[in-house]
Each structure stands twice: as structure tokens, then as C-alpha cells.
Amino acid sequence: MESAIGEHLQCPRTLTRRVPDTYTPPFPMWVGRADDTLQQVVMGYLGVQFRGEDQRSAALQAMRDIVAGFDLPDGPAHHDLTHHIDSQGYENLIVVGYWKDVSSQHRWSKSTPVASWWESDDRLSDGLGFFREIVAPRAEQFETLYAFQDDLPGVGAVMDGTSGEINEHGYWGSMRERFPISQTNWMQASGELRVIAGDPAAGGRVVVRGHDNIALIRSGQDWADAEADERSLYLDEILPTLQSGMDFLRDNGPAVGCYSNRFVRNIDIDGNFLDLSYNIGHWASLDQLERWSESHPTHLRIFTTFFRVAAGLSKLRLYHEVSVFDAGDQLYEYINCHPGTGMLRDAVTTAEHST
């Protein structure tokens, strides 16, 4: 059994683990592995927001335009497409791209076709909302966990492979302890989420600045190849409780430190639903994410169910990835999105900030 933390990222611990060195996990799990050439990844959430059937065709075409841009030089190494309806009843299509390094993503986003599309006045007048939420954790600032070993989704798709069975899972606090940085750093949040350009209430272009150690979780479910018993397990037992927890975070996030929560369904390029889904949750800090996951009844029921069935899973694929970021490695930008979108909801305006 190996550590979730790759050998080249290990260092003498100054912060102790929550379990003894003799701890043995109750079932096998794995993490994504990358060599020391991977220094920093980029996760880009590029969204199209619309409301009503009359806008659906234009929204899907805008999503396809974004995807087509990924074929340009320095496009992401992996991407997927999602759909969700937010708390205000707006539909959102999100193209999620992953890059293995910051420089290639910067070159892509600054390229003339990409920059001119995003900066065009057409984005202000075509009747749709757009957003880009781009974060770039260093190798020591993210962790992964998979109940399977092949075809890793999300950030795992840009890594080199999968670990052997890992030790740091199956107990409260294990998520934190899979972060390489957790060996010496509490990852405490500092600063505030703040609007630095534009006015969310007025629409148009709005830019939000993040703060140190915002946490992002992507927690996924893949039942595409599951047989009848596992499909029933997910759809009849896991999903109802999961949906309840995700709705709670969507509607009550400020009370628990969750800036934004989206429970999304994967789609194909034509907008057809696939048998995959995941949660996209931005949190004010990792410790607030931990506190909710360890105490809220909906998550405790999910965790208990997973513990009960994990060892017997065959085709039902469950996973997550969690990251934290320095303030300078985040970009949140919105065009004609409603003020409850993403990080807009909880960001303070300049006027609020100055009081």
C-alpha cells in the first residue's frame, strides 16, 4: 500500500495525521499519479447561460463554438460538457477543460480567436450569459480519489496514470491528508471574495477576485456501464440523498461557507444527457467543506451508503477531486449573467468593501 502523496511531493511532516501509522483502510481506493514534470494544472469552467426554449439553439451553438476553440494550438488536454438548472431557473451549459500547465492555457486564452470571441461586443448583445471560472492549483494543492483505476475523468485525465492502493481514505480528515501541502500547511483561507470590475446588478461584464485557499470540489458519478443492480443502487439509493444535499448547498450555501454549488449532468455536443454527473462546489475554505461533509445529515447518509457498498462496486464509478488556490491563480468573469451566478452571489462590491 502506498501514500496518496507521490514520492517527489513528500516531505517531513510538521502537521500530524488523524490516524495512526498502523491504520488500514476498509476497502481499496486509488489516486491519479503524475511525475515531477507536472508543476501546476489549469481547470477552466466556461459557461453559457440561457432561459427558455427560444434561446436553447443559440446557447448550444455558443457551447459548440467554445469546444471548437479547444482544437486551436494549446487547447486543453481533456474536456467534458455539462448542463444544469440553477436556483434562479436559468439553464447553464459548461465546457470544462483541463490543461497540464499554466503557460499553454495562457497562450490559448490570449490567442486571437479565443480572446476576440470573449472580448467581442457580440457577447453583450446576443441575449445569452457567459462566464469563465479558471483556477490553477499547483501540484501540491490538489488531491484526487477514485473507486476505479482506468479512464480517469477530470484532472485525472491529464495525469500519467493511477497509483496502487492508497492509505489515506476511509476516515474523516483523509481528504485533507491526500493534499501534499497538508504535510506542512493548514490551507487556511485569507482575504475576501470581491467584485473588482462591473456591477452584478447591472449585468454587462463583471470580474470577481478570489482569495487565498478557496476550495473547489468536483465529486462525480458514472453509471453508464452499470448493470441493473448497480444502476438501482445509484438511482434509487444514492441519487435521492445526493440530490437533497446538493439542493441544500445550492440554496443555503452562505450559511455553511459554500460560495457556489452546481449539480451538473454530462451531455454530448448536441445537448443530449449522458449517464454521468458531478457536483461543482466552490467553498470559502477547505475546513468549511470538511465541516459540512462531517456533520450534515445528507452527506452523512451518502458517506454511510458508500461505505456499505464500496467494496462490491463493479461498474458504478465514483470519484472526486478537490483543489485549493492562491488568490492570483483564479479568474472569475461573467457577462450578462444573473447576480446569483457562481461567485457573483457572495462577492462584495467595491462600495461594500470600503465600508
Side-chain angles (χ1 to χ4, degrees):
M1 189 169 297
E2 33 186 278
S3 172
I5 301 172
E7 288 186 8
H8 67 285
L9 293 169
Q10 294 176 16
C11 67
R13 274 192 172 274
T14 60
L15 301 176
T16 58
R17 291 179 59 190
R18 293 178 69 171
V19 294
D21 291 340
T22 55
Y23 169 79
T24 300
F27 46 82
M29 295 287 278
W30 299 268
V31 301
R33 278 278 190 255
D35 62 27
D36 58 7
T37 62
L38 188 142
Q39 299 293 310
Q40 191 170 15
V41 298
V42 182
M43 306 167 177
Y45 290 77
L46 312 177
V48 182
Q49 186 176 91
F50 68 102
R51 193 168 197 169
E53 283 300 315
D54 59 329
Q55 289 188 318
R56 185 177 304 278
S57 178
L60 284 168
Q61 185 56 52
M63 180 189 74
R64 294 186 192 105
D65 291 342
I66 294 171
V67 173
F70 284 175
D71 290 333
L72 295 168
D74 297 306
H78 175 75
H79 74 273
D80 57 65
L81 314 176
T82 74
H83 168 276
H84 75 282
I85 300 175
D86 65 31
S87 62
Q88 303 302 307
Y90 285 79
E91 294 186 67
N92 296 261
L93 308 173
I94 307 181
V95 183
V96 186
Y98 289 84
W99 286 260
K100 289 191 74 167
D101 66 276
V102 171
S103 58
S104 63
Q105 192 277 332
H106 281 178
R107 288 191 300 269
W108 178 82
S109 65
K110 299 297 184 184
S111 67
T112 298
V114 174
S116 61
W117 186 90
W118 181 261
E119 295 165 5
S120 171
D121 288 343
D122 291 344
R123 302 291 80 73
L124 295 168
S125 60
D126 58 13
L128 302 172
F130 299 92
F131 58 86
R132 53 180 176 178
E133 299 171 348
I134 300 173
V135 294
R138 300 188 305 274
E140 64 268 25
Q141 289 180 306
F142 70 90
E143 64 87 24
T144 60
L145 188 67
Y146 305 97
F148 50 91
Q149 298 172 268
D150 59 324
D151 297 324
L152 301 186
V155 73
V158 302
M159 302 181 78
D160 299 313
T162 314
S163 69
E165 292 183 27
I166 55 107
N167 177 267
E168 298 93 337
H169 75 91
Y171 59 92
W172 296 121
S174 59
M175 173 181 66
R176 176 182 292 269
E177 292 174 1
R178 289 188 294 272
F179 278 82
I181 198 173
S182 72
Q183 298 167 103
T184 60
N185 189 306
W186 285 111
M187 294 174 277
Q188 291 182 313
S190 61
E192 63 185 351
L193 197 66
R194 186 161 63 91
V195 174
I196 60 170
D199 177 1
R205 295 180 183 267
V206 183
V207 180
V208 173
R209 175 178 290 162
H211 58 75
D212 286 335
N213 287 319
I214 286 176
L216 171 62
I217 180 169
R218 168 176 171 158
S219 181
Q221 309 81 35
D222 176 352
W223 65 101
D225 295 326
E227 297 180 0
D229 55 343
E230 287 194 342
R231 290 182 71 87
S232 176
L233 168 67
Y234 176 67
L235 295 173
D236 300 334
E237 292 190 52
I238 297 176
L239 179 58
T241 302
L242 177 61
Q243 186 72 63
S244 177
M246 297 301 96
D247 290 348
F248 173 87
L249 292 176
R250 180 195 65 196
D251 299 334
N252 303 278
V256 292
C258 182
Y259 286 146
S260 170
N261 198 76
R262 302 165 171 133
F263 187 36
V264 305
R265 181 82 175 263
N266 288 70
I267 57 175
D268 64 19
I269 197 69
D270 295 316
N272 300 305
F273 288 117
L274 306 176
D275 286 346
L276 304 95
S277 61
Y278 58 91
N279 173 57
I280 306 166
H282 289 83
W283 288 75
S285 66
L286 188 66
D287 64 299
Q288 286 171 297
L289 168 57
E290 289 175 310
R291 199 147 50 238
W292 179 81
S293 65
E294 293 182 20
S295 63
H296 198 269
T298 53
H299 189 268
L300 291 175
R301 286 196 290 272
I302 296 167
F303 191 79
T304 301
T305 300
F306 178 71
F307 248 75
R308 176 170 57 83
V309 304
L313 291 181
S314 173
K315 297 294 182 64
L316 176 62
R317 292 155 54 93
L318 305 174
Y319 71 94
H320 83 220
E321 62 189 50
V322 186
S323 312
V324 297
F325 324 99
D326 297 339
D329 289 328
Q330 305 168 59
L331 169 67
Y332 307 107
E333 189 170 359
Y334 304 85
I335 304 173
N336 284 342
C337 292
H338 69 76
T341 303
M343 309 298 258
L344 288 177
R345 187 194 65 192
D346 295 341
V348 299
T349 66
T350 302
E352 290 171 327
H353 178 64
S354 63
T355 57

